[in-house]
Amino acid sequence: MTKENSSLTPKKVPSIYPSRTKKQVTFIFLVILGIYLFSMYWTQREMVGGIGGALGNMYTVIEKFFPPNFAVLPALLDPMIQTIQMAIIATTVAAILTIPLAILSAQNVTTFKPIYYVTKTFLNLLRTIPDLVLAVIFVGLFGIGLFPGILALVIFSLGILAKLVGETIESVDMNPLEAMRASGGNPLQVIWYALVPQVLPQYTSLVLYVFEINIRASVVLGYVGAGGIGLILNQQLGFYNYPNAMAIIIVIFVVVIIIEYISNKLREALI
Amino acid sequence: MIEFKDVNLVYPNGTQGLKNVNVKINDGEFVVIVGLSGAGKSTFIRSINRLVTPTSGSLLIDDEDILKFHGKDLRKLRTKTGMIFQNYNLVKRSNVLKNVLAGRLGHTGTLRSILNLYSKEDISLAYRSLQRVNIDEKIYNRADELSGGQQQRVSIARVLTQQPKYILADEPVASLDPPTSHQVMTYLRKVNKEDNITTIVNLHFIDMAMEYADRIIGMRAGEVVFDGPVSEVSERTFEEIYGRSIREDDMRGGANES
């Protein structure tokens, strides 16, 4: 009996991970912990007043914002619609431009390497420029208004959307594509018949997701002169008219929540 | 007529897929290619519609050397050779009729096919093909709602709609259970006889090869090691092709159940 038991538990039980991996992970963990501790120490030195000062300020700031002045609501309708329009137009244009870029940046469909690398690099470059910077540049080029805002949003969302859709394309089942090729279809037919049905639900869902991001981003872009409700918010804050600003903030909050709710429901229905 | 002349294929990683293959397949034949996995069966079949390209020799189909084909020529060749796959390769999210109509892609202009503007003849041909494999009541079901055997029948209907001169079937029953396997092979055999379509099937089940083939080609390590009518084949022949004695898992069984 004892003999059987000892054969079941060998002298050396292997651990789940090799000891080298264990050492590496421990080392990386310690380094990151060190960085955290150091930055905590550093930021505390910068914050002279400490957290107590911030809490005191918060009270005075919040007091100024209340009560919000809802009398301005009718005047907010137009700029709010402008903001939503900006997001809709920008998302639509980006959704169309994404299709060729996403296909060309998917390694499994674009087998010709140079094109793949060029598109991939182009998309990476697009994503390195923050949307605010784009808006500032375009406002400088085209003047204050909706157009520079739309342009900034198109480029900003194209970077995200093309990358995400491209990665979706890279994960599709390649077998149907092979079958279409084997039955004599040309590349466009192969893409339309075997690829599009596989990525369409994810594509639609991603477009809705980018639309949500664009609504929020277009508010911020208004701040630098790209039209819409952000522009009004910036003006009111500039005039120190805090009750008006608070009303605007609440309107934005409600609209963003409603739009996210609708697009979430739509996406649930799709997948 | 398909004619392999000294065909060799070396994959980029150095594996020899085909080695000095010389085979002539006549019109209307039902040929089964047997061999262990990795023997070059798939490479042989995929050379015929150029999903892979042999590195030397010549491969004549209807007296044309298809190894020189590019672009349009290649698509025309593929229109002539229908293919059936182990994993059915249907578009799972599309409905059955649309999957079957995809067989017409090579015959249809790009714009027409994208806008779904198929001619009445094409659509009725697709429907008749589905009737021939007894799955016409499922035309509006999504492909992923069907069982494996049903999906393989849809893929046979897709090939029929293509109206090919040759059918290439790459392990068509490897993912199916014995009764369904026999059903699928029976349909392939029926199509071969009724439409006089030359059919080449890859199998690794000995009993199925014996039951359905006119002619058996045995492959080992990229070489054709046996080629002859099914009447000349015995268990001994298979032992030579496989290079080992026959085991139970070389048999599919279930012939009487279907």
Side-chain angles (χ1 to χ4, degrees), chain A residues 173-190 192-194 197-199 201-202 270, chain B residues 46 49 51 75 78 81 85 87 89-94 98 102 105-106 108-110 113-114 116 118 158 162:
Chain A
D173 176 10
M174 290 302 284
N175 285 334
L177 277 82
E178 189 185 35
M180 298 299 160
R181 216 172 285 132
S183 70
N186 63 36
L188 216 59
Q189 289 174 323
V190 171
W192 187 258
Y193 270 78
Q198 289 192 67
V199 295
Q202 277 92 334
L270 275 168
Chain B
R46 277 156 198 262
N49 63 358
L51 286 181
R75 287 202 292 277
R78 286 174 179 169
T81 55
F85 301 84
N87 300 312
N89 293 13
L90 302 177
V91 183
K92 297 197 172 66
R93 297 188 60 94
S94 295
K98 190 139 190 221
L105 283 184
T108 313
T110 309
S113 61
I114 285 176
N116 273 336
Y118 288 97
R158 175 170 68 187
Q162 194 180 327

Side-chain angles (χ1 to χ4, degrees), chain A residues 71-89:
Chain A
V72 293
L73 275 186
L76 295 181
L77 191 66
D78 267 357
M80 193 67 232
I81 288 176
Q82 271 189 350
T83 296
I84 296 173
Q85 279 172 336
M86 234 163 89
I88 291 177
I89 295 172

Side-chain angles (χ1 to χ4, degrees), chain A:
Chain A
M1 196 66 199
T2 39
K3 213 175 176 187
E4 266 177 20
N5 264 345
S6 68
S7 73
L8 275 175
T9 43
K11 278 177 201 116
K12 201 169 163 280
V13 182
S15 69
I16 301 174
Y17 299 106
S19 64
R20 232 180 69 117
T21 317
K22 271 185 173 171
K23 271 178 205 151
Q24 278 174 345
V25 171
T26 319
F27 177 72
I28 292 169
F29 176 74
L30 287 177
V31 167
I32 291 174
L33 191 70
I35 293 172
Y36 268 122
L37 290 174
F38 176 74
S39 48
M40 270 163 78
Y41 167 73
W42 202 254
T43 31
Q44 285 224 316
R45 272 202 352 188
E46 298 278 307
M47 251 168 43
V48 187
I51 290 189
L55 282 174
N57 286 342
M58 203 159 107
Y59 182 71
T60 26
V61 170
I62 285 179
E63 199 182 24
K64 279 190 214 161
F65 276 99
F66 281 96
N69 174 19
F70 285 115
V72 293
L73 275 186
L76 295 181
L77 191 66
D78 267 357
M80 193 67 232
I81 288 176
Q82 271 189 350
T83 296
I84 296 173
Q85 279 172 336
M86 234 163 89
I88 291 177
I89 295 172
T91 313
T92 313
V93 174
I96 294 168
L97 293 180
T98 289
I99 297 166
L101 285 175
I103 290 175
L104 291 178
S105 71
Q107 214 168 356
N108 54 348
V109 183
T110 306
T111 40
F112 185 58
K113 286 280 169 270
I115 292 186
Y116 162 74
Y117 284 120
V118 167
T119 334
K120 203 93 187 172
T121 316
F122 172 67
L123 289 178
N124 284 336
L125 281 177
L126 274 191
R127 274 200 310 281
T128 54
I129 315 169
D131 49 344
L132 261 180
V133 175
L134 285 170
V136 169
I137 293 171
F138 288 132
V139 168
L141 285 176
F142 301 101
I144 288 178
L146 285 182
F147 183 68
I150 292 173
L151 220 51
L153 281 183
V154 167
I155 293 179
F156 165 70
S157 40
L158 192 61
I160 309 176
L161 201 54
K163 183 191 165 67
L164 293 177
V165 176
E167 279 170 2
T168 310
I169 293 176
E170 281 181 341
S171 69
V172 301
D173 176 10
M174 290 302 284
N175 285 334
L177 277 82
E178 189 185 35
M180 298 299 160
R181 216 172 285 132
S183 70
N186 63 36
L188 216 59
Q189 289 174 323
V190 171
I191 288 173
W192 187 258
Y193 270 78
L195 185 69
V196 169
Q198 289 192 67
V199 295
L200 199 57
Q202 277 92 334
Y203 170 78
T204 323
S205 154
L206 288 171
V207 168
L208 284 170
Y209 171 65
V210 164
F211 175 61
E212 288 169 34
I213 296 180
N214 275 347
I215 288 272
R216 272 171 275 148
S218 61
V219 173
V220 179
L221 292 193
Y223 240 78
V224 292
I229 195 125
L231 193 62
I232 313 290
L233 179 63
N234 191 24
Q235 280 168 2
Q236 295 304 313
L237 284 174
F239 299 150
Y240 299 108
N241 198 338
Y242 291 123
N244 281 3
M246 194 62 208
I248 296 171
I249 290 170
I250 290 173
V251 167
I252 295 172
F253 180 74
V254 171
V255 168
V256 167
I257 284 190
I258 292 173
I259 286 177
E260 292 203 352
Y261 177 79
I262 295 172
S263 97
N264 263 330
K265 282 284 159 223
L266 279 176
R267 270 193 285 149
E268 273 170 28
L270 275 168
I271 296 180

Side-chain angles (χ1 to χ4, degrees), chain B residues 25 28-34 181-182 184-186 188-190 192-193 197-218 226-233 238 241:
Chain B
I25 293 168
E29 276 191 297
F30 194 99
V31 182
V32 170
I33 301 173
V34 293
S181 300
H182 283 286
V184 164
M185 286 306 290
T186 309
L188 282 177
R189 178 82 200 176
K190 201 174 109 188
N192 163 253
K193 289 286 164 279
I197 301 176
T198 315
T199 306
I200 305 169
V201 184
N202 278 352
L203 282 178
H204 59 267
F205 297 114
I206 292 168
D207 50 343
M208 293 200 93
M210 294 292 288
E211 189 175 342
Y212 296 100
D214 293 333
R215 170 181 170 191
I216 286 180
I217 293 176
F226 176 85
D227 183 0
V230 77
S231 53
E232 285 177 17
V233 178
F238 280 108
I241 295 169

Side-chain angles (χ1 to χ4, degrees), chain B residues 210-249:
Chain B
M210 294 292 288
E211 189 175 342
Y212 296 100
D214 293 333
R215 170 181 170 191
I216 286 180
I217 293 176
M219 291 190 76
R220 191 171 66 211
E223 282 182 285
V224 171
V225 291
F226 176 85
D227 183 0
V230 77
S231 53
E232 285 177 17
V233 178
S234 66
E235 196 156 302
R236 179 103 193 85
T237 325
F238 280 108
E239 287 181 350
E240 271 161 28
I241 295 169
Y242 285 14
R244 58 163 172 76
S245 56
I246 299 308
R247 298 195 294 239
E248 195 164 336
D249 56 356

